Amino acid sequence: MKKTVEETLLERRSIRRYERQPIAEEDLEFIREAIRNTPTSYNGQQYSVIEISDQALKEQLAEIVGQKQFKTSARVYAFLSDFNKIELGAQALGLDNPGFETTTDGLIVGTVDATLAMMSAIVAANSRGLGTCPIGYARTVAPARISELLELPRGVYLVCALAVGIPSEMPDLKPKQPDDLLFFQNKYGTDDLAEKVVAYDKTFTDYHRNRSSNPSDKGWIEEILGYYREGMSYDMLQALRDRGYLQKS
Ligand SMILES: Cc1cc2nc3c(=O)[nH]c(=O)nc-3n(C[C@H](O)[C@H](O)[C@H](O)COP(=O)(O)O)c2cc1C
């Protein structure tokens, strides 16, 4: 099933339940092509992708990361920030490598490239009627174990995983921030920004209460602050340094 660009972008939602069916080879190839044509900083293509189809490995990842989409989706892609390939090339050609990944901007560049590549995959997969769900916990929960399992060399870290498969659920679309909260004109913000944030919190909380699956009384801001607290419990600085990143500032 092919969708229009409008359907692809505006009907996308994260899918966490999948049919146990393989993805058509033609769709997998289209996802690869879309990933390959992602724009990248300096055209340095500071990313790689591991396609994970081995069910035993997917189950191991589900267990470690605690996200069942690893197990139930037909395919998982691990999007990596990758400065290993340029290092290998520099060594082979006898060129001096300044080690960009040791700097903050190097980290940002690799992360942006890998994330844009993931978005290419999301759009490509959704345009073929497939469901997708990014899995950021693959980065945070157990970075050393995941790096070992996927045999990541120095200069490579897993930015985000993406589950892809045939959807067996179609959850309600989440209400997103309205235009006047999201888009500013010519400068940042508006005078009544706090009121608008609180109004969106109410919109989202009403959706939370009334949605067809997993209703909840939790407010949007309250929920997000909880996620931030959890995120702050992971020592990402050390995890990134262990991968060869951020050794300079
Ligand atoms: C970088 C990133 C990491 C994410 N990590 C997870 C995750 O680990 N588990 C999960 O179930 N959803 C994850 N999500 C999906 C978000 O929860 C989802 O995009 C958000 O709730 C908005 O819902 P929607 O995608 O249906 O519009 C992630 C999304 C992004 C962009």
Side-chain angles (χ1 to χ4, degrees):
M1 184 228 310
K2 288 191 186 168
K3 294 185 169 185
T4 64
V5 174
E6 286 79 2
E7 288 166 343
T8 301
L9 293 175
L10 303 183
E11 293 175 10
R12 185 215 55 79
R13 66 209 73 188
S14 291
I15 299 294
R16 297 180 178 82
R17 290 174 196 275
Y18 299 92
E19 304 288 352
R20 288 191 183 264
Q21 266 172 263
I23 300 170
E25 194 50 51
E26 189 207 346
D27 293 342
L28 291 174
E29 189 48 38
F30 177 55
I31 293 169
R32 282 189 201 111
E33 290 290 325
I35 290 172
R36 189 178 296 123
N37 197 32
T38 300
T40 60
S41 309
Y42 317 121
N43 190 36
Q45 303 163 62
Q46 289 86 192
Y47 73 102
S48 293
V49 183
I50 302 180
E51 297 179 301
I52 304 173
S53 53
D54 178 340
Q55 189 58 24
L57 176 58
K58 283 159 77 250
E59 291 187 14
Q60 219 175 337
L61 289 165
E63 176 84 27
I64 296 171
V65 180
Q67 296 281 295
K68 64 182 183 322
Q69 304 95 291
F70 273 113
K71 183 161 62 178
T72 57
S73 62
R75 185 62 65 114
V76 174
Y77 296 87
F79 288 89
L80 313 171
S81 166
D82 188 347
F83 287 88
N84 178 54
K85 293 184 286 194
I86 206 81
E87 166 61 12
L88 293 176
Q91 277 179 19
L93 299 181
L95 298 171
D96 182 49
N97 178 358
F100 191 31
E101 70 279 6
T102 62
T103 68
T104 305
D105 200 43
L107 170 68
I108 293 171
V109 158
T111 306
V112 170
D113 285 0
T115 310
L116 289 176
M118 182 173 80
M119 194 62 208
S120 298
I122 290 173
V123 173
N126 280 271
S127 80
R128 295 299 173 104
L130 297 166
T132 55
C133 186
I135 310 177
Y137 282 118
R139 174 184 64 254
T140 52
V141 169
R145 280 185 76 191
I146 299 281
S147 301
E148 196 186 328
L149 200 58
L150 300 179
E151 301 184 18
L152 305 187
R154 185 197 169 280
V156 176
Y157 96 92
L158 188 155
V159 176
C160 201
L162 181 72
V164 181
I166 295 163
S168 75
E169 64 166 6
M170 206 37 72
D172 302 341
L173 283 170
K174 290 179 181 164
K176 299 290 165 60
Q177 296 180 27
D179 281 4
D180 61 1
L181 183 53
L182 185 58
F183 302 104
F184 303 133
Q185 303 306 320
N186 301 310
K187 67 178 177 65
Y188 181 85
T190 54
D191 291 342
D192 54 354
L193 195 52
E195 286 94 320
K196 285 178 178 149
V197 175
V198 172
Y200 174 66
D201 181 71
K202 182 171 170 358
T203 305
F204 197 87
T205 309
D206 288 345
Y207 149 83
H208 243 172
R209 282 203 188 99
N210 298 314
R211 69 182 173 186
S212 49
S213 58
N214 299 324
S216 140
D217 276 336
K218 218 175 228 176
W220 175 67
I221 296 171
E222 186 192 358
E223 179 175 58
I224 300 306
L225 296 178
Y227 284 132
Y228 290 170
R229 280 187 195 95
E230 184 189 347
M232 288 165 74
S233 69
Y234 302 115
D235 189 353
M236 286 309 296
L237 180 60
Q238 191 54 51
L240 287 163
R241 286 192 167 145
D242 290 346
R243 312 261 14 98
Y245 286 79
L246 286 182
Q247 283 154 7
K248 294 186 192 138
S249 55

